[in-house]
Amino acid sequence: MAGQAEIPADVVALCDYERHAAERMPAPLRAYVDGAGADGLTAQANLAAWQAIRLQGRVLADLRGADTGLRLLGLDLPHPLILAPVAFHGLAHAEAEHATALGAAATGSLMVVSTQSGLPLEDIAARAQGPLWFQLYMQPERGDTLSLVRRAEAAGCRALVVSVDAPVNGLRNMEQRAGFRLPEGIRAVNLDGMRPPQIRSEPGRAATFLGLMDAAPRWEDIAWLKSQTRLPLLLKGIMSAHDAERAVAVGVDGVIVSNHGGRALDTLPATAEALPVVARQVAGRIPVLCDGGIRRGTDALKALALGASAVLVGRPQIHALAVGGAAGVAHMLTILRAELEVAMALTGRRDLAGIDETVLWGS
Ligand SMILES: Cc1cc2nc3c(=O)[nH]c(=O)nc-3n(C[C@H](O)[C@H](O)[C@H](O)COP(=O)(O)O)c2cc1C
């Protein structure tokens, strides 16, 4: 693996990757990766909410043959830990998304490739050894959206994850203060040649209500998209019972409870708070996944206990990539899976189906 770095010996948990990455990444890049919307309250809440939930231990359970495997939208996965779609991996490592995909495959992990990958989705898929989903940002022109869908299908992606929570960028004050700019040579290549939203200009006005929202997807576009592809369709960014019900009604195959890692609308609740609300509404009709602040196997266990079928991790993959390239990503996922297994063992759960709210203290 070109450019592979030694993983420091004191990296034993995901927070260690974050610490080492912070030492290696210039301040503006750190502000981009670790920053969040406005005051960062939702991003902090994501972390704090998982930490605040207590587990209920169980002893002497029969855990012979215990296993973390699951079947999810037609895929057999050895564990429920997924790499969330994250833009521009080339910011963290020269091998960019290729390195992440290698780390994912080495650990049997599903990777969600972002619309905003810095490498063409076809190139990532051609070299990937493991399964991929494609995260889709719907484009102002249906023809452009459809072209992304056809490309993802042709590249062998196994599902489409439509991110619906960021039709306008969050107010990334931390990034702004740090003066983050995409370096020369890193851009959203998958969108080359596509028509951007047509923004009118008016002094003293932001783009949001001057064209950006006119081009933003609506529920009817999701119904249209569903009719255009046989790939399973998930909506990412569902944070309310209302939207969860509409998602089921429109016929999508899964939802992801996500507040974009706190990068979109600040002061949204933590995903640990929204997950049970969404899971109750969906009531098992389609899989519910969750991301935001998952940093420990215990966090993953708690999400599964609150109704998630699987969880996604965002920032930790960039930290691991910056520190150790593909090997770092594989190691990060290995740590998280090992932690999940310990947490399952000590709460007496032999498989994911056996994880329910009785895992949680006070249930
Ligand atoms: C640097 C960065 C870039 C991201 N880019 C995307 C993206 O292109 N598409 C998307 O749907 N979500 C994107 N996200 C959000 C992640 O998919 C995920 O929802 C979030 O990072 C989960 O929270 P966590 O970082 O606390 O694990 C990005 C997140 C980060 C940190």
Side-chain angles (χ1 to χ4, degrees):
M1 276 176 283
Q4 187 187 319
E6 282 274 302
I7 296 170
D10 65 352
V11 173
V12 299
L14 272 53
C15 60
D16 298 317
Y17 272 115
E18 179 169 6
R19 180 168 46 84
H20 280 283
E23 287 163 8
R24 285 156 211 237
M25 297 191 304
L29 176 56
R30 230 161 50 222
Y32 172 68
V33 173
D34 293 328
D39 297 313
L41 299 169
T42 294
Q44 289 166 27
N46 279 346
L47 297 165
W50 297 121
Q51 289 168 359
I53 299 171
R54 300 283 172 242
L55 291 169
Q56 178 148 266
R58 285 265 184 91
V59 300
L60 300 174
D62 182 354
L63 295 186
R64 287 175 293 182
D67 175 47
T68 58
L70 72 157
R71 191 164 173 79
L72 181 63
L73 298 174
L75 281 179
D76 282 313
L77 299 171
H79 61 77
L81 308 166
I82 299 174
L83 294 181
V86 168
F88 310 125
H89 295 201
L91 293 169
H93 193 272
E95 294 279 299
E97 285 84 1
H98 288 320
T100 317
L102 193 54
T107 53
S109 311
L110 175 63
M111 173 177 171
V112 187
V113 175
S114 168
T115 286
Q116 302 197 84
S117 58
L119 295 172
L121 77 97
E122 290 83 357
D123 291 9
I124 302 167
R127 272 174 55 180
Q129 310 272 320
L132 302 176
W133 286 355
F134 181 67
Q135 177 264 322
L136 176 69
Y137 278 129
M138 293 181 77
Q139 299 300 304
E141 296 284 340
R142 280 190 170 177
D144 289 340
T145 300
L146 213 45
S147 133
L148 286 169
V149 170
R150 295 291 172 253
R151 289 171 57 191
E153 289 169 346
C157 295
R158 311 290 292 271
L160 295 174
V161 172
V162 186
S163 293
V164 289
D165 56 355
V168 49
N169 264 337
L171 302 170
R172 303 272 181 75
N173 290 161
M174 299 168 210
E175 260 175 64
Q176 292 164 333
R177 286 187 196 108
F180 173 75
R181 295 265 175 288
L182 276 181
E184 196 77 7
I186 295 196
R187 64 195 165 80
V189 288
N190 293 321
L191 302 180
D192 279 354
M194 298 197 179
R195 192 177 76 95
Q198 305 299 298
I199 309 296
R200 302 184 296 282
S201 96
E202 216 180 273
R205 294 277 312 276
T208 314
F209 287 166
L210 291 178
L212 207 50
M213 291 313 294
D214 297 342
R218 301 183 294 270
W219 282 106
E220 68 221 45
D221 299 305
I222 303 299
W224 165 79
L225 184 62
K226 179 71 193 155
S227 74
Q228 298 295 315
T229 180
R230 294 161 100 119
L231 286 180
L233 208 74
L234 298 95
L235 294 188
K236 174 170 179 278
I238 298 300
M239 287 290 287
S240 70
H242 175 270
D243 285 345
E245 189 56 44
R246 286 205 74 162
V248 173
V250 82
V252 300
D253 303 280
V255 293
I256 304 179
V257 174
S258 174
N259 51 34
H260 222 97
R263 300 166 73 80
L265 178 62
D266 199 20
T267 74
L268 282 177
T271 49
E273 289 176 77
L275 172 59
V277 174
V278 169
R280 204 174 309 122
Q281 185 68 37
V282 168
R285 289 176 286 174
I286 53 175
V288 175
L289 285 67
C290 183
D291 74 16
I294 301 281
R295 300 291 181 271
R296 285 284 186 183
T298 42
D299 299 337
L301 178 69
K302 290 166 190 178
L304 299 170
L306 291 172
S309 300
V311 297
L312 301 85
V313 291
R315 293 174 182 89
Q317 59 183 293
I318 299 302
H319 300 150
L321 197 56
V323 174
V329 173
H331 183 226
M332 182 276 290
L333 287 159
T334 302
I335 290 173
L336 207 51
R337 180 177 179 182
E339 289 183 354
L340 174 62
E341 291 183 4
V342 169
M344 286 172 64
L346 299 183
T347 54
R349 311 296 155 144
R350 61 193 307 281
D351 54 26
L352 300 195
I355 299 172
D356 58 18
E357 59 190 22
T358 62
V359 162
L360 309 176
W361 179 253
S363 59

